[in-house]
Amino acid sequence: MEECLFCRIINKEIPSTNVYEDEDVLAFNDINPVAPVHVLVIPKKHISTFFAMEPGDELLIGKVHKAAVQVAQKLGLNEKGFRLVSNCQRGGGQLVFHIHYHLIAGRPFGWPPG
Ligand code: 5GP
Ligand code: ZN
C-alpha cells in the first residue's frame, strides 16, 4: 500500500506530529486543522473504508476508539468534550482512503454538520 498517504505516514516515509502510538494505532495532528485540536486516529492496518473491513477488524476499530479517548484524556478534554468524526466514501467527505477518525475540539460545533 505504498501509494496510501497514511500508510506512508505509518512507515515514517512522510513526517507527522504523533500524539499517540501503539502496535495497532497511530494518532497524529492533521496538517490542515479545522479546530484548535484536530488529531487523526488511524489503524496501522490498511483498510480503505468501513466497507472493506474484514472479520476481526471490529476489534481493531474498537482499539482505535479507545486510543482516541486516551488522546482526548491526554489533551484534557474529559470535561470540555470533543467530536469524533469519520467520513466514509467520497459522498461522506472521505479524501484519504485509509480508515481514520478526526478527533476535533476547542471550539463550538454546530449540528447538523455542514
Ligand atoms: P478525510 O477528508 O479523508 O476525512 O480527511 C483527510 C484528512 O487528512 C484531512 O483533514 C487532511 O487535512 C489530512 N491530511 C492530508 N494530507 C495530510 C498529511 O500529509 N499529513 C497530515 N498530518 N494530514 C494530512
Ligand atoms: Zn493505508
Side-chain angles (χ1 to χ4, degrees), residues 14-93:
I14 295 174
S16 58
T17 305
N18 299 345
V19 295
Y20 177 93
E21 183 166 14
D22 64 30
E23 63 176 348
D24 297 309
V25 181
L26 180 67
F28 53 96
N29 288 329
D30 196 291
I31 204 169
N32 185 24
V34 300
V37 172
H38 189 166
V39 175
L40 298 172
V41 191
I42 70 174
K44 287 187 173 175
K45 177 182 177 182
H46 179 87
I47 309 171
S48 59
T49 77
F50 294 117
F51 295 107
M53 284 174 64
E54 297 171 336
D57 286 343
E58 60 275 13
L59 180 63
L60 178 59
I61 296 304
K63 288 178 178 178
V64 172
H65 272 243
K66 193 175 174 192
V69 174
Q70 283 181 247
V71 170
Q73 276 173 339
K74 195 170 157 185
L75 297 176
L77 298 172
N78 301 43
E79 298 296 326
K80 293 176 191 159
F82 59 90
R83 186 169 285 185
L84 194 62
V85 182
S86 189
N87 302 322
C88 186
Q89 300 284 35
R90 292 212 186 279

